[in-house]
Amino acid sequence: MNTITKYVVLLSLCLITANLSAQETEKDTTLLKEVNFKISALERLKTKIQDEEREFLKAEVEVVNERLSKGEITETKAEQLKKEAAKRRALNIENRLAIIDNKIELLKRNDAYYDDRDDDEVHFNFSLSKLGGLNVSSRRKPRKYDKRTTSDLVFAAGFNNAIGDGQKIGDEYTFMQSGFVELGIAWKTRLFEDNNAVRLKYGFSFMWNKLTPKDDRYFVQNGNTTTLETFPSELKESEFRITNLVFPLHFEFGPSKKIERKGYFRYSTARHFKIGLGGYAGFNIGTQQKLRFKEDGDRVKEKIRRSYNASPFVYGLSAYVGYGTLGIYAKYDLSPLFKDQTFDQHNLSIGFRFDLD
């Protein structure tokens, strides 16, 4: 038994040793593949670096030519700037290629796999630039000399109501409990070449307009007619909401500050007054009524989604007056609240607007 045990132990050790050797060989093979792959990638990167620096030089030359055509610099100054840019890019190529060559030699000379990450590679980042939108950009991408169009996030909220002929705000709907919310994206384009006094602002927004009828009333749709009627019992809540997708368009007026940097300039409206005048047009994408009441001692909550004959197309006027990112905002629907009604009502909203540009 002792002899058999010795043979079993010896055989087991041999198998373990062979297995470890195989694993080590496999590990070495994998490491070698990784090193070779990294070397191949670095060789390709050398070509990419040269192409990249040439593109940057081309962009810088275009900026210089643009400044020359506008009369901002002389031809002598333009030639000087082009030569400086060409020299800088040539040195960049030389230095960056030297770094890559050293990395390749390091990998060839050692058995270990080195993974030094630096700026030789192109990186992409996702960021909310001042909460104004999603940006995807190359880390080495040069700034555009003159950026006439920018984008920002628009958020507005406040009070909402609906009025008709001979009616005042608050006659039919509770003023404090009726509100609106708007959320959208807007683009702003400078209209003049060398002046930022007038901008065209356009985009798309989702608008949620809520009405809270008074005196235990609710909306009832009878065929093509929608009316406000008294509910059979006391209502704990009566809420009518219309959701629209609209496309606003405003002419924005106001001063701005020109910020000049090396190779580019921008206009900033931060800490400046601005006025926006325009309107919007779009579509109704949802209508809902929510009711809460008691029935036979039970609490009942109903959400009814139907058309209620709400106008399928909406359009109106809007305006805002602001300072920096905050402003006072008003909008009025020229389209009636409901279509084919004997008595038209129009939605009216006023509140605060935030332009996060």
Side-chain angles (χ1 to χ4, degrees):
M1 289 293 294
N2 290 336
T3 304
I4 295 176
T5 303
K6 290 179 182 179
Y7 282 124
V8 171
V9 172
L10 182 61
L11 181 60
S12 300
L13 289 173
C14 291
L15 291 174
I16 292 173
T17 303
N19 187 47
L20 290 174
S21 178
Q23 290 180 357
E24 192 67 27
T25 301
E26 183 179 355
K27 181 179 179 181
D28 292 341
T29 303
T30 302
L31 183 59
L32 181 60
K33 288 181 180 179
E34 290 179 354
V35 170
N36 290 334
F37 177 80
K38 182 66 175 178
I39 291 174
S40 298
L42 290 172
E43 292 288 355
R44 291 193 300 271
L45 185 57
K46 290 171 67 176
T47 302
K48 186 176 182 180
I49 285 172
Q50 297 178 67
D51 294 338
E52 185 181 70
E53 291 293 340
R54 291 191 186 101
E55 287 298 319
F56 292 161
L57 176 59
K58 181 180 177 182
E60 290 175 348
V61 170
E62 288 176 355
V63 169
V64 173
N65 288 334
E66 185 176 351
R67 295 180 64 187
L68 178 62
S69 64
K70 291 182 177 180
E72 296 179 2
I73 57 175
T74 64
E75 291 188 7
T76 303
K77 182 63 175 179
E79 288 300 319
Q80 180 187 346
L81 292 175
K82 290 178 184 179
K83 289 179 180 179
E84 290 176 355
K87 181 178 179 181
R88 182 170 60 253
R89 292 302 171 183
L91 288 174
N92 286 354
I93 292 175
E94 181 180 341
N95 294 152
R96 294 176 69 186
L97 291 183
I99 293 172
I100 299 300
D101 288 334
N102 287 334
K103 286 186 176 183
I104 292 174
E105 292 302 317
L106 183 65
L107 289 169
K108 289 179 178 179
R109 187 168 57 250
N110 296 277
D111 295 333
Y113 171 66
Y114 288 84
D115 188 20
D116 298 326
R117 299 182 184 273
D118 57 23
D119 292 341
D120 289 331
E121 300 177 40
V122 177
H123 301 270
F124 290 86
N125 62 80
F126 295 82
S127 63
L128 288 173
S129 178
K130 295 184 180 180
L131 301 178
L134 188 64
N135 295 326
V136 183
S137 61
S138 169
R139 187 170 180 175
R140 294 183 173 277
K141 186 177 181 180
R143 288 179 179 269
K144 189 175 180 181
Y145 176 66
D146 181 8
K147 192 174 183 181
R148 295 185 63 172
T149 299
T150 59
S151 62
D152 60 70
L153 178 69
V154 175
F155 174 76
F159 302 105
N160 189 66
N161 226 274
I163 56 175
D165 291 337
Q167 291 183 331
K168 300 188 300 293
I169 294 175
D171 283 353
E172 298 283 350
Y173 310 101
T174 304
F175 178 74
M176 297 300 294
Q177 296 179 356
S178 300
F180 83 96
V181 174
E182 179 180 341
L183 181 64
I185 300 293
W187 287 266
K188 184 167 58 179
T189 299
R190 187 175 85 244
L191 293 185
F192 300 118
E193 180 71 22
D194 300 314
N195 193 312
N196 195 44
V198 184
R199 289 87 66 179
L200 185 65
K201 197 155 191 173
Y202 50 94
F204 66 90
S205 292
F206 291 96
M207 288 183 178
W208 295 271
N209 299 321
K210 184 182 77 170
L211 296 171
T212 302
K214 288 182 171 181
D215 305 323
D216 293 327
R217 290 183 298 170
Y218 73 118
F219 284 98
V220 177
Q221 180 179 348
N222 295 308
N224 295 327
T225 304
T226 300
T227 57
L228 267 177
E229 299 183 8
T230 302
F231 197 71
S233 61
E234 180 183 357
L235 281 170
K236 298 295 182 182
E237 181 181 14
S238 176
E239 176 185 303
F240 186 76
R241 187 177 68 198
I242 295 179
T243 304
N244 298 322
L245 171 63
V246 299
F247 301 89
L249 177 66
H250 294 93
F251 286 96
E252 186 176 284
F253 307 89
S256 58
K257 181 181 179 181
K258 186 175 183 180
I259 301 174
E260 296 186 85
R261 297 287 186 267
K262 184 179 180 180
Y264 73 96
F265 73 89
R266 296 290 184 268
Y267 287 100
S268 173
T269 58
R271 295 186 292 277
H272 286 83
F273 283 99
K274 55 188 172 184
I275 298 174
L277 301 173
Y280 52 90
F283 312 93
N284 170 263
I285 59 175
T287 308
Q288 174 182 284
Q289 183 167 221
K290 183 168 69 174
L291 304 173
R292 285 200 307 115
F293 55 93
K294 280 189 176 182
E295 186 176 68
D296 298 329
D298 295 327
R299 294 179 179 178
V300 180
K301 182 177 180 179
E302 289 186 352
K303 288 185 178 181
I304 308 167
R305 293 182 175 89
R306 59 188 308 181
S307 72
Y308 285 100
N309 296 312
S311 295
F313 302 104
V314 293
Y315 52 92
L317 301 174
S318 57
Y320 57 89
V321 178
Y323 179 81
T325 60
L326 178 62
I328 298 174
Y329 179 49
K331 59 186 180 72
Y332 177 73
D333 285 0
L334 295 175
S335 56
L337 189 63
F338 302 104
K339 62 179 181 178
D340 302 326
Q341 300 293 294
T342 56
F343 180 73
D344 286 342
Q345 287 187 321
H346 300 267
N347 201 75
L348 173 65
S349 307
I350 185 168
F352 293 100
R353 175 185 173 108
F354 301 86
D355 291 272
L356 305 174
D357 52 5

